[in-house]
Amino acid sequence: MTTTLDLSPAATEVARLLHGVRDDHLAGPTPCPDYSVAALLDHLMGLSMAFTWAATKTTPPAESGEAGPPDPSAEHLDAGWRRELPERLRALAAAWKDPDAWTGMATAGGVTMPAEVMGAVALDEVVLHGWDLARATGQELVLDPASTHAVLAFTETSARPENEAGRAGVFGPVVPVPADAPPLDRALGYAGRDPSWAPPTP
């Protein structure tokens, strides 16, 4: 039986966070060492489209470069991101509501895998980068339990020794987190993020 996930709560929460992103945040750091807030937003713009195309089994336009530029950057961020990104997040969630999205194979960013796995990857990307954005802009990611536990299961599996090769370039080294920590904190640790990360004080 195919396991499906509802991406709507997480996508809606990340869209909510966008209202708290000020222009003076854009050049600031995020938990992703190579991304400023603007570059992170550019990444969210690209991944939301890439995983929508994956759900609909649509071949990306040739000019799209699959999921935007290979390296998200502040310079590439669409000036209309405040309007465009919420729409892309809504489209992403809607695409994965179709049961057919979870069948067969799916491709995103040049990688092809079972659609059931691709949907879990899409949720993981939205949640983890939503947390990155929240922390970088002094906000809190309020996540529904189903999304939290799905991401915890995904990141815990990725952290197993037999999956070490597969996480290279996707997650950083596991950050130790107490076993009794909240589920999202444990998911973050498995994904190589420090749940206590905060922007440096000026």
Side-chain angles (χ1 to χ4, degrees), residues 4-159:
T4 63
L5 302 168
D6 185 359
L7 276 66
S8 294
T12 299
E13 173 63 3
V14 175
R16 180 191 69 81
L17 293 172
L18 300 178
H19 297 291
V21 180
R22 304 188 307 267
D23 287 347
D24 63 313
H25 284 137
L26 296 179
T30 74
C32 298
D34 296 330
Y35 289 177
S36 65
V37 170
L40 178 62
L41 290 166
D42 186 39
H43 185 50
L44 282 164
M45 290 276 282
L47 74 85
S48 60
M49 290 195 71
F51 285 110
T52 298
W53 291 326
T56 58
K57 314 298 194 293
T58 300
T59 301
E63 66 273 15
S64 72
E66 287 287 341
D71 297 309
S73 67
E75 292 74 19
H76 181 267
L77 179 63
D78 190 314
W81 65 268
R82 292 185 184 278
R83 177 193 69 255
E84 184 69 21
L85 185 50
E87 291 297 326
R88 292 190 185 191
L89 289 166
R90 278 191 285 271
L92 170 67
W96 286 98
K97 282 186 178 295
D98 184 345
D100 288 343
W102 299 87
T103 63
M105 304 296 286
T107 301
V111 177
T112 300
M113 62 181 66
E116 186 175 359
V117 178
M118 187 68 80
V121 174
L123 176 61
D124 181 75
E125 286 282 295
V126 170
V127 167
L128 292 180
H129 289 309
W131 180 85
D132 293 334
L133 182 64
R135 278 305 172 101
T137 57
Q139 302 183 76
E140 181 182 1
L141 179 74
V142 181
L143 202 59
D144 63 295
S147 296
T148 302
H149 287 287
V151 172
L152 174 58
F154 185 88
T155 57
E156 189 277 332
T157 298
S158 77

